[in-house]
Amino acid sequence: SLPGVLWYLHHEVVIVCPRKFNIMRIRRLKVTIKNNCDLWRSKKQRFGTYYAFDSGSCGNLNCQKTYNKYGPVVGCQHIPFNTG
């Protein structure tokens, strides 16, 4: 989402010089995703656990455990509307 991208740029990218990961521009992509049925059967959730990725790799120790159990699922981070 555009608000998510702008929040990331404001809080993570432009606060250091040179810019984090040498980010120079925003690119918009339209993608369609669908998580597998194993996640739904196990947790009754459409999205998996949110894990942060930096430089193309997961920074959480539970990533491999989740991938082994459900495969590559898309996670979602809940942020209340009155924060952020």
Side-chain angles (χ1 to χ4, degrees):
S1 70
L2 181 60
V5 169
L6 293 176
W7 186 95
Y8 178 77
L9 289 173
H10 182 73
H11 289 90
E12 298 280 335
V13 176
V14 297
I15 61 170
V16 293
C17 190
R19 292 181 178 163
K20 188 175 186 180
F21 305 125
N22 295 317
I23 293 176
M24 303 293 273
R25 59 180 57 96
I26 300 170
R27 179 184 285 179
R28 182 177 177 208
L29 302 172
K30 184 175 181 177
V31 297
T32 302
I33 55 103
K34 184 176 181 182
N35 283 330
N36 60 35
C37 295
D38 295 336
L39 180 68
W40 176 254
R41 285 188 204 110
S42 175
K43 296 188 172 194
K44 301 296 186 229
Q45 296 177 355
R46 300 218 182 269
F47 292 97
T49 304
Y50 170 81
Y51 294 117
F53 276 72
D54 278 327
S55 298
S57 64
C58 183
N60 191 303
L61 299 175
N62 291 324
C63 286
Q64 194 61 44
K65 181 179 161 186
T66 302
Y67 293 159
N68 290 341
K69 188 170 184 177
Y70 303 113
V73 295
V74 176
C76 182
Q77 182 179 24
H78 174 72
I79 299 176
F81 290 111
N82 60 350
T83 62

